[in-house]
Amino acid sequence: MSPAKVCLLLSLPLVVLLIMSFQAQGGLGQSLQALLRPDVTQVDELLLHFTWWPRLAVALLAGGGLALAGVLMQQVLRNPLAAPTTLGVASGANLALMAATLMAPGLLVVGREWVALAGGAVAMGLVFALAWRRGLAPVVVVLAGLVVNLYLGALSTALLLFNHETLAGLLIWGAGSLSQNGWGGAAALAPRLALCALAAWLLLRPLAVLELDEASAKSLGVSLKYLRFAGLGLAVFITGSVVSVVGIIGFIGLAAPNIVRMAGARRLGTRLLWSTLLGAVLLATTDLLLQRFSGMMATLIPTGAVTGALGAPLLLWLIPRLKLQGDRPPQASSLLAGRHAAPYRLAAGIFLALLLTACLGLFVGQGGGGWTWINPLEWSVTEWRLPRVMAAAASGLMLAIAGTLLQRLSANPMASPEVLGISGGCAIALILGIYLLPAPSNAALIGIGTAGALVTLLGLVALNRRSGFVPERLLLSGVAITALFDAVRSILLAGGDPRGQQVIAWLAGSTYHVDMTSALVVGALAAGLALATLPFTRWLDILPLGAPMAKSLGVGLTQARLGLLLLVALLTACATLVVGPLSFVGLLAPHMARLAGLSRAREHLVGAALIGMLLMVLADWAGRQVMFPYEIPAGLVASLIGGAYFMWGLRRL
C-alpha cells in the first residue's frame, strides 16, 4: 500500500469525527460562519471561534511539526529510534519551562517559546557534546539522547516533588494539552513551521546523502558533522516551538515516519511530505476523539498522554516489521573481554567500600548543630537510619542483578530494567494497583508488580525473538513501553487525585517510610533472589555465545530464558516497590563491574551486586544530607549520579 493510500485510510476517522462535530455545532455552514464571521452576541459561535477552531488548527500544526522533526532526526541518525522525545529535546524544553516557572517567571512573560527553545537546545547540545568525538555517529547520538532524556526526566521529577502545588498546572500542560483560548498558539506555530518546512526542503538533497555509508558521503565532499548539526538543529527548533505551545506529545514524531516508511516511502522528500500530513492527521484524530468522550470523564485528560497510550501499542506492533540498518544480533565480545587478574580481591575491595559507606549512612549526618558523628550505641538515632540503609542496599542489589541477567541473556550491554521498560511496566501495574484496589498490602503489590514486569518481559521476548534480540529493536521496544508508562502516569496524575502526591514520591524512590520490619522483609527477599541466581551462572556464561553454541553445549534455551526472565521480573518488582522505576542502578552497576574486569558470570553477578548496593546506600545518604533538612529520594539521587557517570563514560568513548 502506498503512503498516499495509508494516509487516506488513516484520515477516514478524522473525517468522520469532523462531520459529527459539525453536526453537533449546527452544520458545516454554521461552523464556517463561526470561524470566519462570528456573531459576538452568540456564545456558541464565540466558543467555536476562540476554542474549537484554534484547537483543531494547533493539533494539525503540532502533529505535522513533530512528524517533520521526527523524519529529520531519523534521516540524520539513520535510525527509527530517533525522535524528539528519545533524544531529550522535549524533556529539555519541559525542564526549562518548569525551572523558569519557579526561578524566573519573568522570562515566561517575554516568551515561553524561547525558554522552551533554550531548554531543547541545551539538551541537544549536551547530546552533541557527548557524541562529537565520535563524529556524531548515529548509534552514539541515540545512546547519548537516551541517557540525557532519563537524566532530565529525573531533574523534572525532583522539581515536581519539591514544588508540587506550584507546578500542578504544568502536570496537565506538560503532558500535552491542546486546549486553546484564542488564536495565539496557532499564530505562533504557523509561521515558524512554515519556515522550518522551507528549510527542510532546501536541505533535501544534502540530507539525502546521509543514506549512503560514511565513506561514500565523505567522498562526495560532504561534511557529515555539520550536515547532521544542521538537520538536528532544525528538528530542535521545531520541537521547542511545539513544546512551548502544547507541551510534550512524544509519540507522533516517532510513529508517523515509521508508518510512512513501512508504506513504501523510500525517498526523503516523499517521507517528509507524507509523514507531516500523517502526523497532523493522527494528532487531530486523537484530540477530536478525546473531546467527543470528555463529557463522560470526571477529570481532564491531556491529549499528549492519550496519544502516548494509543501510540505505544501501535509502535510495539510496528517494531518486528521495521528494517533497521545493521540488523544483526549483538556480539558477546563486549561482555566477555578484559578479565581482571584477581577478580575476587577486587570484589573484596568493593565490599570494604560498601561497609565504609554503610557506616557513613548510619553514623554520619547533619543535625540542628551541624555535622555530627553518632555513637554506634545510640540506638535512638540508628534505629531510624538502619532500615533505610538496609532497604537501599537491598534494592541496589536486586536492580544490579536484574540488569546483569538481562545484559548476559541478550548479550547487550545497554540492557537493563530501566532502559528496556521493565521498570516502567512494573510501575504501571503498581500504580493501577494503588488506584484500583482498596488499601493493597505489600505482598499484593509485589505480586502485581511481578506480574507487570513479567508481562513486559514476555512482550519483549515475543517482539525480538525472531530478530535475535538486535540492540536497536530492544531499545525501541523499551521506548514504547516507557512511553506507555509515562502516558498512564500523566493521565492519573493530571486527575488531581490526592494519591498523586504519594505516587510522585514513590516514583522518585524514597526510603523515608521504610520501617525495620519492611527492611528485613526486603533484605530477606533480596538475599534469597540473589542466591537463586547462582545455579544459573553456567547458563549465563554460555548464553552470550549465541543460541547455536548454547544448544551444542546442552543448554535448554526455552527453560533457561524463562527461568532467568522470571527472576528478573521478581527482582525488578521488589526493587521498584522500594525505590521506584527511575534508578540507573540496573544499567550502571553491571556496566561498572564489567569495566573493572569482572567478566565471568559469577564474578559479574557478585561485582555488580556489590556496586549496586554501594551506589544505592551512597545515594540514600547523599539525599538525606545535600539539602538538609529536606530530603532527595534515594532513587532520584541514584539516577542523577548514574546519569552523570554514564554521560562521562560516553564522552570518553
Side-chain angles (χ1 to χ4, degrees):
M1 187 178 294
S2 67
K5 292 181 179 179
V6 169
C7 289
L8 181 62
L9 180 63
L10 294 177
S11 299
L12 292 179
L14 176 60
V15 174
V16 173
L17 288 170
L18 284 173
I19 292 174
M20 295 172 67
S21 298
F22 290 147
Q23 289 177 345
Q25 296 163 5
L28 177 60
Q30 186 74 19
S31 299
L32 290 176
Q33 179 180 335
L35 170 64
L36 301 175
R37 296 186 304 275
D39 187 347
V40 295
T41 63
Q42 298 294 323
V43 175
D44 290 342
E45 291 194 14
L46 290 176
L47 288 174
L48 284 174
H49 182 79
F50 289 107
T51 60
W52 191 87
W53 278 109
R55 181 166 181 162
L56 178 62
V58 166
L60 293 170
L61 290 168
L66 290 172
L68 177 60
V71 174
L72 290 171
M73 290 181 173
Q74 292 177 18
Q75 176 69 14
V76 169
L77 301 176
R78 293 179 293 181
N79 195 316
L81 183 63
T85 46
T86 57
L87 295 186
V89 178
S91 296
N94 187 54
L95 177 61
L97 288 164
M98 293 177 70
T101 301
L102 292 172
M103 304 171 190
L107 293 176
L108 301 178
V109 178
V110 176
R112 65 182 186 181
E113 65 273 11
W114 302 113
V115 176
L117 285 173
V122 169
M124 196 71 253
L126 183 56
V127 173
F128 283 159
L130 294 174
W132 192 264
R133 290 181 62 180
R134 296 289 300 273
L136 297 180
V139 175
V140 179
V141 173
V142 171
L143 181 58
L146 178 67
V147 176
V148 169
N149 194 41
L150 292 173
Y151 196 76
L152 296 180
L155 289 174
S156 298
T157 302
L159 290 179
L160 184 61
L161 184 65
F162 290 107
N163 304 276
H164 182 259
E165 294 184 1
T166 305
L167 299 176
L170 285 178
L171 281 175
I172 297 177
W173 175 85
S177 175
L178 298 181
S179 298
Q180 302 292 309
N181 57 5
W183 288 93
L189 270 181
R192 292 187 176 92
L193 294 182
L195 290 174
C196 291
L198 177 61
W201 179 76
L202 294 174
L203 287 173
L204 195 60
R205 294 187 65 183
L207 289 175
V209 176
L210 293 176
E211 297 177 2
L212 304 173
D213 57 75
E214 301 279 331
S216 300
K218 289 181 179 179
S219 67
L220 296 175
V222 177
S223 175
L224 294 181
K225 283 186 178 181
Y226 294 104
L227 182 56
R228 287 172 179 154
F229 186 88
L232 290 176
L234 182 59
V236 168
F237 184 84
I238 296 172
T239 304
S241 299
V242 173
V243 169
S244 68
V245 175
V246 299
I248 297 179
I249 299 177
F251 166 72
I252 301 297
L254 192 62
N258 283 313
I259 294 174
V260 169
R261 184 191 295 272
M262 289 187 60
R266 295 292 178 262
R267 298 177 64 86
L268 177 59
T270 306
R271 294 204 308 274
L272 283 172
L273 173 63
W274 292 110
S275 295
T276 302
L277 294 175
L278 181 58
V281 167
L282 289 176
L283 185 54
T285 302
T286 304
D287 189 53
L288 285 173
L289 193 63
L290 181 61
Q291 291 182 64
R292 183 108 189 134
F293 294 100
S294 60
M296 305 178 185
M297 304 173 189
T299 60
L300 178 64
I301 298 179
T303 304
V306 176
T307 306
L310 295 176
L314 176 59
L315 183 58
L316 289 171
W317 178 82
L318 286 171
I319 288 170
R321 295 158 178 82
L322 291 175
K323 298 295 183 183
L324 302 181
Q325 186 171 2
D327 204 1
R328 54 187 175 80
Q331 303 298 318
S333 57
S334 60
L335 292 174
L336 303 178
R339 187 168 185 258
H340 193 275
Y344 290 104
R345 186 182 302 171
L346 174 63
I350 300 172
F351 179 71
L352 179 60
L354 172 62
L355 290 179
L356 293 175
T357 305
C359 291
L360 185 71
L362 289 172
F363 307 124
V364 179
Q366 296 187 70
W371 287 93
T372 58
W373 166 267
I374 303 300
N375 189 324
L377 300 179
E378 193 173 336
W379 179 247
S380 60
V381 176
T382 308
E383 68 174 331
W384 297 102
R385 295 181 178 178
L386 182 59
R388 302 187 64 171
V389 171
M390 292 175 59
S395 59
L397 170 69
M398 289 185 285
L399 285 172
I401 291 178
T404 305
L405 293 177
L406 284 172
Q407 290 183 14
R408 301 192 74 89
L409 183 62
S410 63
N412 181 2
M414 276 303 296
S416 75
E418 304 95 336
V419 175
L420 298 186
I422 299 167
S423 294
C426 176
I428 290 174
L430 287 172
I431 291 176
L432 292 176
I434 291 172
Y435 271 77
L436 300 179
L437 298 179
S441 64
N442 285 335
L445 290 176
I446 289 175
I448 293 169
T450 302
L454 190 58
V455 168
T456 305
L457 278 166
L458 293 177
L460 287 170
V461 171
L463 289 168
N464 296 276
R465 186 175 182 179
R466 288 186 178 181
S467 66
F469 299 96
V470 176
E472 284 185 325
R473 292 187 186 276
L474 277 171
L475 289 175
L476 193 55
S477 304
V479 168
I481 295 170
T482 302
L484 182 60
F485 160 61
D486 288 338
V488 172
R489 180 186 63 180
S490 299
I491 291 172
L492 293 176
L493 295 183
D497 193 297
R499 290 168 293 187
Q501 179 66 21
Q502 175 190 353
V503 170
I504 292 174
W506 168 70
L507 289 174
S510 175
T511 59
Y512 181 80
H513 297 287
V514 177
D515 56 19
M516 182 58 72
T517 303
S518 301
L520 290 173
V521 171
V522 172
L525 282 172
L529 291 172
L531 292 174
T533 61
L534 296 179
F536 296 97
T537 52
R538 178 174 176 270
W539 289 356
L540 293 173
D541 275 323
I542 295 173
L543 287 174
L545 300 176
M549 179 65 73
K551 289 180 180 178
S552 67
L553 294 175
V555 175
L557 289 179
T558 302
Q559 296 88 337
R561 285 171 175 165
L562 286 178
L564 292 171
L565 291 178
L566 179 59
L567 266 177
V568 169
L570 285 168
L571 289 162
T572 304
C574 294
T576 302
L577 191 60
V578 178
V579 295
L582 296 177
S583 172
F584 256 111
V585 172
L587 176 66
L588 182 59
H591 186 76
M592 293 179 69
R594 189 175 59 255
L595 288 180
L598 303 175
S599 57
R600 298 282 179 85
R602 187 180 295 270
E603 303 162 3
H604 197 186
L605 283 170
V606 172
L610 292 173
I611 293 173
M613 289 190 287
L614 173 63
L615 288 172
M616 284 305 301
V617 172
L618 181 62
D620 183 64
W621 177 81
R624 285 186 273 132
Q625 308 305 325
V626 169
M627 295 184 63
F628 181 84
Y630 302 103
E631 292 191 12
I632 306 175
L636 192 56
V637 175
S639 297
L640 299 176
I641 294 174
Y645 171 85
F646 213 73
M647 286 189 283
W648 174 80
L650 278 177
R651 186 71 181 89
R652 289 173 56 88
L653 284 176

